């Protein structure tokens, strides 16, 4: 999983990767690493970040699932039209089916 996700989990908050933390990849096969750390918590070691691997996997998988769900739900105005035209129960059934077919971890 990505180092940025692991850093967010380590920091337990959203991180601005243009101000708070800067990452770099020199394309030398060593991968991405932290070049600048401006958070008010200690800079983690790679071993500390690697401890978040399982959580990062779940987080990133769920982000993909959320994106899929959003695309299947459709725009809010279309959902409101659907509710108006077909009723709330029909809309709720469609949303429940989308969630059933695209479960989060």
């Amino acid at each position: 999983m990505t180092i940025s996700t692991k850093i967010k989990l380590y920091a337990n908050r959203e991180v601005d990767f243009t101000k708070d933390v800067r990452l770099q990849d020199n394309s030398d096969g060593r991968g991405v690493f932290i070049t600048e750390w401006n958070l008010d918590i200690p800079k983690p070691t790679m071993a500390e970040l690697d401890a978040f691997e399982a959580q990062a996997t779940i987080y990133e998988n769920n982000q993909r699932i959320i994106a899929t769900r959003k695309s299947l739900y459709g725009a809010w105005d279309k959902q409101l039209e659907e509710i108006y035209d077909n009723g709330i129960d029909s809309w709720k059934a469609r949303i429940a089916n989308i969630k059933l077919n695209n479960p989060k971890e």
Side-chain angles (χ1 to χ4, degrees):
M1 294 295 96
T2 64
I3 189 172
S4 57
T5 297
K6 293 176 188 178
I7 289 170
K8 289 178 190 178
L9 292 169
Y10 171 82
N12 197 28
R13 63 181 178 202
E14 283 301 312
V15 175
D16 182 337
F17 288 96
T18 62
K19 296 178 194 167
D20 298 333
V21 177
R22 291 194 183 250
L23 303 174
Q24 184 172 321
D25 185 344
N26 292 338
S27 299
D28 59 4
R30 295 184 320 161
V32 179
F33 59 96
I34 299 168
T35 58
E36 190 175 322
W37 186 263
N38 298 315
L39 295 176
D40 59 355
I41 57 176
K43 179 180 171 182
T45 64
M46 287 309 292
E48 288 172 317
L49 291 177
D50 286 344
F52 288 95
E53 184 73 25
Q55 286 175 273
T57 299
I58 291 169
Y59 177 85
E60 290 184 13
N61 288 344
N62 283 341
Q63 291 307 302
R64 281 190 285 281
I65 291 164
I66 290 168
T68 298
R69 285 181 178 184
K70 283 182 179 181
S71 71
L72 293 171
Y73 293 158
W76 279 108
D77 59 334
K78 298 297 182 191
Q79 290 185 60
L80 290 173
E81 285 180 26
E82 177 185 356
I83 291 168
Y84 181 81
D85 292 341
N86 304 320
I88 191 81
D89 291 334
S90 173
W91 173 82
K92 286 170 72 174
R94 185 177 71 81
I95 298 301
N97 192 47
I98 289 170
K99 288 183 175 187
L100 179 67
N101 292 325
N102 298 281
K104 291 184 193 175
E105 288 188 27

